[in-house]
Amino acid sequence: MGFDQLLGGLATVFTPEHLLFALLGCVLGMLVGVLPGFGPAAAVSLLIPVTFGLDATSAIIMLAAILYGAAYGGTTTAVLLRIPGEASSIATTLDGYQMAKQGRGGPALVIAALASFVGGLVGVIGFVVVAPFSRLALEFGAPELFLVSLLGFALITSFAGSNPAKALLSAAAGLGIATVGVDSGVGIARFTFDMPELFDGLGLVAIVMGVFGLSEVLGQAQKGPLGVPSPLKVARLLPTRTDLQRSAFPSLRGSLIGFFMGLLPGSPGAATSLASYAAEKRISRRSKEFGKGAVEGIAGPEAANNALAVSSMIPLFTLGIPTSATVAIMAGAFTMNGLIPGPLLFRDNPDVAWAIIASLIVGNLILLVLNVPLARVWIAVLKVPFHYLMAAILAFMFLGTYSINGSAFDILIMLGAGLLGYIFQLVKVPLTPLVLGLILGPLLEENFQRSLALSRGDYNVFLQGPISLTLIGVIVLAILFGAVRPLIASMLKKKTITPIAPKELAK
Amino acid sequence: MKKLTALTTTALAASVALALTGCGGQAGSTTSTAAVDFPKAGATIEWIVPSAAGAGNDILARIVAPAMQEDLGANIKVVNKEGGSQVVGLNYVAQSKADGLTFGYTNIPSILGRYLDPSKKAAFDRSSFTPIGSFATNSVVIGVNKDSKYKSLKELFDAVKAEPGKITVGTDSRAGDDHINLRLLENQLGLDFNIVHYNSGADKVAAIVSGEVDFALGGVSSFFGQYKSGDIKLLTVIEDNTSPFVPDVPTMKSAGYDVKPMASNFALSVPSKTPKEVVAKLESSLKKAAETAAVQEKLKGAATQPTWVPAAEVSKMWEERETLIKPVIDELLKQQ
Amino acid sequence: MQTLNAPVALEWTVAAAAVAGGLTMAVVGAGYGLTNTSGVGAGFFPTVAGTLMALAGVLWALQLVAARRTSVPAPVTGDTVESLPPHHESESALVSLLDDDNSDEPDSPDFPDRQGWARVGIISGAILLAALLLPLLGYTVVMTLMLGTILFFVSKRKLWMAALVAVGSALASRLVFEVWLGTALPTASIDFLAGLGL
């Protein structure tokens, strides 16, 4: 494996036929991905029949293109309408939507496209470098994954807002919602009220669309009077030089975070972009601007997202193990085309393998080229008067939520989550901890129970091995930084500016 | 270019079909008159997949459906109804109109776990369905890490006997096929495993490759890639005869353990009140599709053995497996 | 004794609901079994989540009490706690280095008046009814009714305009999803409507 083969692969991809299918895949994926509820996984499986009859390389190039095309489509709605088309776009809504509100939707979309490209590029380069060692990622067993999830919880302090009690409430609510369904360890149905629809738990996508998307529509609708059309203003389309400068390092850091997380088995994709967001917020000198339209808050997560999409293919290519539902569908696409994912791919069909890897770069480039001009088209959506736009958004959310599982029940979940999100916003409870709790809760619980099942109840299983010990060290540091540092800061602050000492900091 | 034309034709065909269903409607009730010319030209038939789009089940459906569609001259739509560990989708099939326009997966043995467990609140049982056949099978195998100290099934099971409850084994889900099959093995051979549940077949395979669990049991398709690459060694296939798919893997019988075959079948069924003529028509069409060379090729590509099992045999097998598995599920329920 | 204004009342309600809901979750959760042969049982995590939720509710209530006590003279706006001016210029370098004031709640919507609540209610009600009636009336009818209701009552469009847009979008979206994406949208289970192809 090496860069020579990658160049060879690039040569294979740069034939008109393969480029055409990559383009077609990007466009189709993007169009389907824009529909709320249609994430990459759904888009690929919907469009698999379209690739029947193509040769294996073209088929998989096209499916891969659909995959990241759909991921990009989700970003568009996240920025413009605050509807995360899938869970991994949540981080993008935080600053992207704020930028759109300030008339900077164009720059937000372009930055997202650029950062995605950087993420994809870093992902592919990392792919070539890391692939031979990818087996090491399997050292992350159940106990290590439990600790990684725990570390994820330390992130919540970054999304806590100014009120820790409210953030705790939000996170605990998320954790609680996550426990609905049949317990994975013992098999008891929890909080299911004998409804089969609840056995597998509440759908993440339905909740995320409700909590972020619907709550926003309700918040806007409540303001009224909607009789007066008030489209959002659309200023310049392209990002400024400062925007680009501010995005450069976040993109790179995001790429690295995403790349690493993608290697882990069962990695929490949705939590990864939030992790990148949290990291940027901590590092940035402008952390005050986060949540109010900071480009760093788009660049980091988007790059992380795309690097993850690429690196999560590594275990599939090298070990034949799909680490996420989305990659599992790609695995299906491989086998259907007579390719066995795994080390044999490089032995038996190296041309195909490298062509596909190279196509990841090309596809991301196509997306970049497409999306800079397309941003103008998407932005036009915001010029639609809100009283019509709102109806259209509601229709699409209704449809999209139904289409996830073909069930009207998910619409009710989306509605419930939307009302919860709306009330939370009224009383200023932050929403991100809820989603983080929801994503990390099951990972935490399952890996905890699995670890103990493996060790037959011996808690020392969490303390064995260098990885576990390192992780525990990092968790302790994160807690120190996340909780203790602000506490010291607030005590110092209290001393310096006693006149308006805030009440809750005294606690 | 070819691609684009194919796309437009499908879109056109689909829109024509939609228009036709719109006019023709489903006004006809379940009387036998409707069955005479089943399916009406351009009718839409729903193939219910009780799992998410892109799941193994779903991909197989999307391979077979086009061939059936061609044979029937009707539009077959693969519809995903996920939820409730497949109960939601199965309920939907069981309660749909018995006019042959809705059929779905009733995979054996996985469907047994859904309705034999009363807490799953399934609104169906065996009598709710009439099978139309099974187009593929998935043999059950036992695999270990390539560096495992257990070189044969006997070594593995002897180790289990020596230290009951110590040897770990991974499953793809709690109360899923793997779990039930392991309990069957435990009961029939007097063994005691430490069963650890994972979230999916892929997670289970990862646990074997990394050596987190000592061995795993499951459908051959989930191990196929790692078996081919040599990362996983298959110790046995739980069949009476060796599988043409993994010809070098010994059967459990040849290792001296008397255990009934555990293969799972990708069976399809319609609601039980569907007219006989309609069932026969669907069966012959499914058979034709399953025996199409191109379809078989794709199924094999997806690491699934194309094996045609006629409807009558599926019914019989369903009944047998139910008798066999019911006590195991009852016992699992008692443990909760 | 000062009467609570609406935002503060809502804060109290949510905090109380969190305590009640959290305790319920913890108690019901504990019933699923806290321990198991190997490690924790099915009830462990629900109990932890419920306890944390109740704890958060209590902390919040304490904050509300504190806020009420300090701001008696000034009108309570409900977000006294949040409305700290960003007074970072005046701080020492050490403070700004250590400070970590994360605000994740940008301009949350203003508090709704009676009409605002009505609009939120109409939208939620329309979605609720639409979801419930979906299996009965089929997608096309339900979507038309839902959009029509929202456009007429919330967006205050003229009736004919609302109806036209609603029918148009329902048919167009059905076309996109059924014909191009090949997914199945629910049809009516009432024979009359089904006969019309809806």
Side-chain angles (χ1 to χ4, degrees):
Chain A
M1 294 203 196
F3 288 96
D4 303 349
Q5 288 100 319
L6 182 63
L7 286 178
L10 273 174
T12 320
V13 179
F14 271 102
T15 56
E17 198 198 349
H18 290 153
L19 284 177
L20 177 72
F21 288 126
L23 177 70
L24 204 64
C26 284
V27 173
L28 283 176
M30 225 158 55
L31 290 180
V32 175
V34 164
L35 299 170
F38 280 84
V44 171
S45 56
L46 265 182
L47 295 172
I48 274 182
V50 176
T51 64
F52 284 166
L54 300 180
D55 69 283
T57 318
S58 304
I60 292 180
I61 286 180
M62 183 164 164
L63 286 172
I66 290 171
L67 194 76
Y68 35 75
Y72 193 81
T75 303
T76 311
T77 49
V79 168
L80 297 182
L81 306 172
R82 201 187 167 199
I83 302 174
E86 5 121 32
S88 52
S89 321
I90 296 167
T92 313
T93 62
L94 300 177
D95 277 290
Y97 183 67
Q98 290 306 318
M99 281 183 73
K101 267 183 152 176
Q102 296 157 14
R104 306 211 327 119
L109 285 176
V110 174
I111 291 280
L114 280 169
S116 295
F117 178 69
V118 172
L121 197 63
V122 170
V124 174
I125 294 170
F127 198 131
V128 179
V129 177
V130 167
F133 316 106
S134 58
R135 198 171 288 263
L136 292 177
L138 290 180
E139 295 296 313
F140 280 77
E144 286 85 3
L145 290 175
F146 167 76
L147 292 171
V148 170
S149 317
L150 205 59
L151 180 60
F153 257 94
L155 289 179
I156 287 181
T157 54
S158 289
F159 297 100
S162 49
N163 191 326
K166 289 179 180 177
L168 178 65
L169 170 61
S170 183
L175 271 181
I177 294 172
T179 64
V180 173
V182 177
D183 153 65
S184 64
V186 195
I188 292 176
R190 301 181 298 197
F191 308 110
T192 56
F193 309 103
D194 283 349
M195 293 157 80
E197 287 87 352
L198 289 175
F199 287 163
D200 292 345
L202 299 168
L204 180 63
V205 179
I207 294 185
V208 163
M209 285 195 349
V211 164
F212 286 91
L214 182 59
S215 74
E216 175 63 19
V217 174
L218 293 178
Q220 293 282 346
Q222 149 224 302
K223 280 184 194 160
L226 290 167
V228 183
S230 59
L232 288 169
K233 58 182 185 297
V234 177
R236 61 180 281 145
L237 180 71
L238 291 175
T240 60
R241 184 179 286 269
T242 335
D243 287 341
L244 292 176
Q245 277 166 357
R246 284 174 58 179
S247 312
F249 283 107
S251 309
L252 286 176
R253 279 190 295 264
S255 305
L256 292 179
I257 294 176
F259 184 80
F260 173 72
M261 293 297 282
L263 293 174
L264 298 187
S267 71
T272 303
S273 41
L274 285 171
S276 159
Y277 186 89
E280 290 313 322
K281 194 170 171 180
R282 257 183 214 292
I283 293 171
S284 174
R285 277 176 289 130
R286 303 184 188 80
S287 60
K288 297 285 177 299
E289 287 174 35
F290 276 72
K292 301 182 182 77
V295 281
E296 293 93 333
I298 298 171
E302 279 297 311
N305 222 350
N306 238 30
L308 176 121
V310 174
S311 74
S312 62
M313 299 260 188
I314 297 179
L316 179 68
F317 271 75
T318 56
L319 303 168
I321 296 169
T323 51
S324 72
T326 315
V327 181
I329 292 171
M330 283 305 289
F334 272 81
T335 44
M336 269 170 59
N337 282 290
L339 301 168
I340 300 167
L344 288 188
L345 197 59
F346 289 102
R347 197 192 71 195
D348 300 343
N349 305 83
D351 301 347
V352 181
W354 285 105
I356 294 165
I357 297 169
S359 86
L360 300 176
I361 300 186
V362 176
N364 275 297
L365 190 65
I366 291 178
L367 271 183
L368 180 63
V369 172
L370 276 180
N371 271 293
V372 175
L374 260 183
R376 191 185 299 278
V377 179
W378 294 129
I379 286 290
V381 169
L382 296 182
K383 293 182 180 156
V384 176
F386 186 73
H387 48 247
Y388 288 123
L389 185 60
M390 176 188 71
I393 295 172
L394 289 174
F396 272 120
M397 290 212 297
F398 188 87
L399 247 174
T401 318
Y402 175 82
S403 304
I404 303 168
N405 287 333
S407 114
F409 189 79
D410 281 340
I411 300 174
L412 297 178
I413 292 180
M414 193 260 301
L415 177 62
L419 287 171
L420 184 73
Y422 173 65
I423 301 279
F424 271 19
Q425 272 189 311
L426 284 181
V427 294
K428 300 193 168 67
V429 171
L431 299 176
T432 319
L434 179 106
V435 183
L436 217 47
L438 198 60
I439 297 167
L440 294 175
L443 289 171
L444 209 60
E445 178 169 21
E446 281 166 17
N447 284 307
F448 190 63
Q449 292 186 332
R450 196 169 295 143
S451 307
L452 289 174
L454 283 165
S455 72
R456 297 202 292 169
D458 182 359
Y459 283 86
N460 282 327
V461 71
F462 297 109
L463 302 173
Q464 281 160 2
I467 301 179
S468 296
L469 293 175
T470 316
L471 282 169
I472 290 173
V474 176
I475 292 169
V476 171
L477 277 180
I479 292 172
L480 284 180
F481 258 64
V484 180
R485 191 183 66 150
L487 205 70
I488 300 171
S490 68
M491 279 156 62
L492 284 171
K493 191 150 67 175
K494 207 179 149 202
K495 270 184 204 150
T496 43
I497 34 157
T498 22
I500 31 168
K503 208 54 221 165
E504 104 279 17
L505 292 175
K507 283 219 281 257
Chain B
M1 205 52 234
K2 197 174 70 186
K3 186 69 258 137
L4 281 172
T5 18
L7 255 181
T8 27
T9 0
T10 351
L12 267 178
S15 54
V16 170
L18 188 78
L20 284 173
T21 20
C23 307
Q26 297 172 320
S29 62
T30 56
T31 51
S32 57
T33 43
V36 179
D37 64 336
F38 174 86
K40 288 205 178 86
T44 300
I45 300 178
E46 289 188 354
W47 178 334
I48 306 298
V49 177
S51 33
N57 258 347
D58 177 62
I59 288 176
L60 299 187
R62 287 170 201 271
I63 292 174
V64 179
M68 264 185 97
Q69 175 165 316
E70 208 168 294
D71 178 66
L72 285 173
N75 192 18
I76 296 192
K77 229 171 222 182
V78 176
V79 178
N80 301 91
K81 296 248 181 230
E82 199 195 356
S85 325
Q86 306 202 338
V87 169
V88 172
L90 291 166
N91 274 349
Y92 182 87
V93 177
Q95 289 162 1
S96 61
K97 259 189 198 158
D99 53 7
L101 293 178
T102 311
F103 64 84
Y105 274 117
T106 49
N107 291 353
I108 302 168
S110 39
I111 190 173
L112 299 171
R114 317 297 170 202
Y115 67 84
L116 291 178
D117 173 355
S119 77
K120 291 237 181 344
K121 304 290 162 194
F124 58 85
D125 58 20
R126 189 161 49 84
S127 68
S128 315
F129 298 102
T130 307
I132 60 171
S134 159
F135 63 86
T137 58
N138 198 358
S139 300
V140 171
V141 295
I142 285 179
V144 294
N145 186 294
K146 64 172 192 289
D147 300 322
S148 168
K149 57 185 169 193
Y150 310 115
K151 304 288 179 218
S152 71
L153 189 65
K154 189 167 182 319
E155 283 180 42
L156 175 69
F157 282 1
D158 285 349
V160 175
K161 281 209 178 100
E163 289 182 293
K166 184 90 189 294
I167 307 289
T168 51
V169 51
T171 77
D172 59 1
S173 65
R174 197 189 185 281
D177 289 1
D178 292 359
H179 191 186
I180 289 172
N181 285 332
L182 282 169
R183 301 289 314 187
L184 278 174
L185 274 186
E186 285 187 328
N187 287 353
Q188 292 176 12
L189 302 176
L191 300 171
D192 183 11
F193 309 126
N194 178 10
I195 303 178
V196 179
H197 306 295
Y198 286 84
N199 254 347
S200 65
D203 287 356
K204 174 185 77 183
V205 167
I208 275 286
V209 174
S210 70
E212 187 169 71
V213 291
D214 293 314
F215 76 104
L217 169 145
V220 66
S221 63
S222 58
F223 296 107
F224 200 61
Q226 287 69 25
Y227 159 73
K228 281 276 180 192
S229 69
D231 282 311
I232 285 183
K233 197 170 165 237
L234 297 184
L235 295 183
T236 189
V237 51
I238 308 179
E239 292 278 357
D240 288 339
N241 303 303
T242 49
S243 157
F245 224 49
V246 282
D248 55 329
V249 178
T251 63
M252 194 160 238
K253 216 174 210 172
S254 72
Y257 299 95
D258 187 23
V259 174
K260 284 221 167 72
M262 287 179 174
S264 50
N265 284 274
F266 292 90
L268 295 173
S269 296
V270 287
S272 56
K273 290 201 181 71
T274 311
K276 277 202 185 71
E277 302 86 340
V278 173
V279 177
K281 178 92 198 206
L282 285 170
E283 180 177 1
S284 77
S285 164
L286 179 63
K287 181 168 191 283
K288 253 184 231 163
E291 288 173 350
T292 312
V295 169
Q296 294 211 335
E297 190 82 359
K298 280 222 154 70
L299 288 175
K300 276 184 201 154
T304 314
Q305 268 165 269
T307 319
W308 170 250
V309 184
E313 270 179 56
V314 173
S315 299
K316 213 175 102 209
M317 182 169 60
W318 194 333
E319 207 175 333
E320 284 170 10
R321 298 291 278 273
E322 187 182 288
T323 335
L324 191 68
I325 285 174
K326 192 165 189 321
V328 176
I329 291 176
D330 288 345
E331 189 191 344
L332 274 182
L333 290 175
K334 253 182 254 153
Q335 284 178 344
Q336 282 182 1
Chain C
M1 192 62 198
Q2 174 194 11
T3 50
L4 292 173
N5 61 9
V8 178
L10 187 65
E11 291 216 26
W12 274 109
T13 317
V14 178
V19 175
L23 288 179
T24 314
M25 191 189 287
V27 171
V28 177
Y32 295 133
L34 290 176
T35 54
N36 184 27
T37 43
S38 67
V40 299
F44 180 74
F45 273 76
T47 310
V48 170
T51 313
L52 285 177
M53 201 157 123
L55 179 72
V58 171
L59 286 177
W60 190 0
L62 290 176
Q63 283 177 1
L64 288 173
V65 172
R68 199 167 143 79
R69 202 175 297 149
T70 48
S71 58
V72 168
V76 183
T77 53
D79 51 5
T80 14
V81 177
E82 264 79 25
S83 62
L84 298 168
H87 35 58
H88 295 285
E89 289 76 26
S90 62
E91 290 167 19
S92 70
L94 181 62
V95 173
S96 59
L97 182 73
L98 287 168
D99 184 26
D100 202 19
D101 173 21
N102 307 295
S103 37
D104 180 30
E105 57 262 54
D107 56 42
S108 4
D110 313 318
F111 208 79
D113 52 13
R114 187 187 290 268
Q115 281 178 330
W117 282 118
R119 281 188 284 263
V120 170
I122 291 170
I123 295 178
S124 313
I127 298 177
L128 178 70
L129 277 180
L132 293 178
L133 292 176
L134 190 61
L136 193 66
L137 299 181
Y139 171 76
T140 322
V141 176
V142 155
M143 182 54 92
T144 308
L145 291 178
M146 185 182 100
L147 285 182
T149 309
I150 290 170
L151 284 169
F152 182 68
F153 288 105
V154 182
S155 297
K156 304 280 186 215
R157 298 292 93 196
K158 290 196 179 70
L159 187 58
W160 65 269
M161 192 64 178
L164 193 71
V165 174
V167 173
S169 346
L171 289 177
S173 55
R174 181 168 161 179
L175 185 81
V176 168
F177 272 70
E178 289 214 323
V179 178
W180 290 343
L181 295 178
T183 57
L185 293 171
T187 48
S189 58
I190 297 176
D191 281 341
F192 170 69
L193 287 175
L196 296 175
L198 294 170

